[in-house]
Amino acid sequence: VFDIVPGPEKGSFRVKARFLGVEMEEFLLKYQDLLQLQYEGVAVMKMFDKAKVNVNLLIFLLNKKFFKN
């Protein structure tokens, strides 16, 4: 399970990975980096060297959750 919460600065998100309720890892994700990957045509990125995430879908979900009007 990935928990995504707003990060310390605008356009950043703190991503926490949990497995069976135990927090495993955490890292800072920058929205600008996702947009750069999308621009470069990267379809899938690795998170925590264990999970693969669709870049376009992640951008869509972040927009839906955090940038609603």
Side-chain angles (χ1 to χ4, degrees):
V1 175
F2 292 111
D3 291 327
I4 302 174
V5 296
E9 54 191 53
K10 278 190 171 188
S12 69
F13 302 93
R14 194 159 300 284
V15 180
K16 298 177 186 177
R18 289 188 297 131
F19 182 71
L20 296 175
V22 178
E23 194 168 309
M24 304 295 285
E25 295 182 48
E26 179 179 332
F27 80 100
L28 191 65
L29 176 67
K30 294 186 179 179
Y31 193 73
Q32 188 65 35
D33 294 343
L34 283 177
L35 293 176
Q36 183 67 34
L37 289 173
Q38 184 184 45
Y39 176 77
E40 293 171 357
V42 176
V44 177
M45 67 177 273
K46 287 187 96 175
M47 287 180 130
F48 307 110
D49 294 325
K50 295 175 181 78
K52 293 180 181 179
V53 178
N54 183 302
V55 172
N56 289 329
L57 183 58
L58 183 55
I59 290 172
F60 171 78
L61 293 173
L62 290 173
N63 284 335
K64 188 174 180 180
K65 183 173 181 179
F66 296 104
F67 299 115
K68 272 189 198 175
N69 286 337

